[in-house]
Amino acid sequence: MIRKQEYDLETYPFEPNDFLFYFRSLYHDRGLKAFYQLFNRTRRRPYSRGLIARFAPTGIGLEIGVGARTICPTTRTVLSDGYSEHGVANSIGKVFFMGDEIPYKDETFSFVLSEHVLEHIANPIKMLKEWIRVLKKNGHVFLFLPHKERTFDRFRKITTLEHLISDYENDISFDDQGHLKEWWQDIVEKGLMPDHYKHIGKQDVTGTGSIHHHVWTEKEIAELLEYVELKVVLIDPKVHDRRDTFVVVGRKI
Ligand SMILES: C[S@@+](CC[C@H](N)C(=O)[O-])C[C@H]1O[C@@H](n2cnc3c(N)ncnc32)[C@H](O)[C@@H]1O
Ligand SMILES: [Zn+2]
């Protein structure tokens, strides 16, 4: 399928040195003071990086919604984002497009990785189908997501697969307001709005990718990946180096 604007891997400015890239982005974000602790625990995240090394040791990857940091090997990962700013953070993305309209050809990537993004998406099945389109056969999807019970989403109801299928069949758009009332009642009015979204008013919370439309645990995400015909090869309910997070890895068969 040809997208509105096509990119190719020939012109993508891959980093020559993975380590230096992390050093520079960390220094830019926090300065030297926080360097040692953040570099090891937040930036490098050995457990999570180890998963990439285990399931996708070679080949070019795509990160969706990279935000201000990445755990991906930057020498072989295209860092993309839908927004150049998210909350109060500037994105380190090098190419910008929405994750449900990826301007690369079918079967370009060996892996697609995304952290804390799918919950911001109004139509997750549409998004996942697009990731699968650009993924090579036997390629992997790494989905790191906030666990409902370990974040500010804890008062909300878990999103069912039936709900997601209905969002897909109704072709729900990225700025859908269907979950706005629930977000306002269960997060903002309970005083749980995260600091980095506090300046964003009710009228803008959907159009800026800030709202969590949906809420999950690893169980529902494994079910969702099977539904879109990925083979689930790993489920970890608690990511050791990002403790509010679970991870599910799916393989394109
Ligand atoms: C909570 S931040 C997570 C950033 C980073 N991945 C992390 O784990 O810290 C959500 C990210 O999703 C991106 N995003 C939101 N909606 C998107 C969309 N439709 N397509 C691509 N990226 C999107 C935002 O720009 C932002 O970078
Ligand atoms: Zn929905």
Side-chain angles (χ1 to χ4, degrees):
M1 208 186 306
I2 300 294
R3 303 282 129 178
K4 276 182 220 149
Q5 189 196 350
E6 194 89 2
Y7 288 104
D8 61 54
L9 294 180
E10 304 296 314
T11 54
Y12 181 83
F14 289 103
E15 287 298 321
N17 186 304
D18 198 35
F19 219 69
L20 266 182
F21 179 83
Y22 283 96
F23 188 93
R24 271 206 324 267
S25 63
L26 180 63
Y27 181 73
H28 180 74
D29 200 25
R30 309 270 170 117
L32 268 181
K33 204 172 156 200
F35 178 73
Y36 179 76
Q37 188 193 20
L38 280 170
F39 189 62
N40 277 319
R41 231 181 40 207
T42 313
R43 298 293 158 139
R44 297 295 286 191
R45 295 189 26 217
Y47 169 79
S48 300
R49 289 177 64 89
L51 289 183
I52 306 172
R54 177 171 154 202
F55 290 104
T58 57
I60 306 289
L62 170 66
E63 178 161 1
I64 301 284
V66 61
R69 65 190 64 178
T70 178
I71 52 161
C72 284
T74 59
T75 50
R76 60 183 183 96
T77 308
V78 171
L79 305 177
S80 83
D81 215 327
Y83 300 89
S84 56
E85 289 163 25
H86 177 80
V88 292
N90 288 327
S91 177
I92 59 167
K94 297 191 182 192
V95 285
F96 289 87
F97 47 80
M98 289 307 209
D100 61 1
E101 211 168 334
I102 302 174
Y104 287 93
K105 293 192 171 69
D106 296 358
E107 302 191 11
T108 299
F109 298 102
S110 297
F111 68 92
V112 175
L113 182 144
S114 187
E115 290 201 84
H116 289 233
V117 177
L118 201 70
E119 75 278 15
H120 293 270
I121 304 305
N123 194 336
I125 293 181
K126 181 177 178 201
M127 181 96 140
L128 281 170
K129 282 179 182 281
E130 179 68 347
W131 298 2
I132 293 167
R133 180 186 70 76
V134 295
L135 195 61
K136 291 182 175 171
K137 192 159 178 263
N138 291 320
H140 290 87
V141 168
F142 296 86
L143 255 181
F144 291 81
L145 289 169
H147 192 287
K148 173 198 169 349
E149 298 301 337
R150 303 197 294 274
T151 65
F152 53 81
D153 281 327
R154 59 189 171 275
F155 295 111
R156 298 178 67 192
K157 284 204 181 66
I158 283 183
T159 307
T160 62
L161 181 58
E162 289 69 33
H163 174 90
L164 300 180
I165 294 171
S166 152
D167 282 349
Y168 181 65
E169 286 174 350
N170 291 314
D171 198 20
I172 291 296
S173 69
F174 80 99
D175 56 351
D176 175 65
Q177 307 234 326
H179 296 283
L180 186 56
K181 191 165 164 222
E182 186 195 331
W183 165 274
W184 217 256
Q185 275 172 1
D186 288 344
I187 293 174
V188 182
E189 286 175 6
K190 287 190 166 64
L192 298 173
M193 183 80 150
D195 284 346
H196 55 284
Y197 297 143
K198 277 194 173 142
H199 61 293
I200 299 172
K202 195 170 189 176
Q203 70 287 357
D204 291 327
V205 82
T206 55
T208 53
S210 307
I211 190 172
H212 285 191
H213 289 274
H214 303 119
V215 180
W216 297 296
T217 74
E218 69 286 353
K219 186 171 156 289
E220 296 75 38
I221 291 300
E223 196 186 7
L224 173 62
L225 293 196
E226 297 280 0
Y227 177 78
V228 294
E229 296 181 0
L230 291 172
K231 179 176 164 48
V232 173
V233 292
L234 180 120
I235 303 174
D236 193 337
K238 195 169 189 176
V239 173
H240 315 305
D241 46 19
R242 191 168 185 176
R243 278 172 270 171
D244 63 355
T245 301
F246 66 84
V247 61
V248 182
V249 182
R251 180 181 299 145
K252 181 169 173 177
I253 42 178

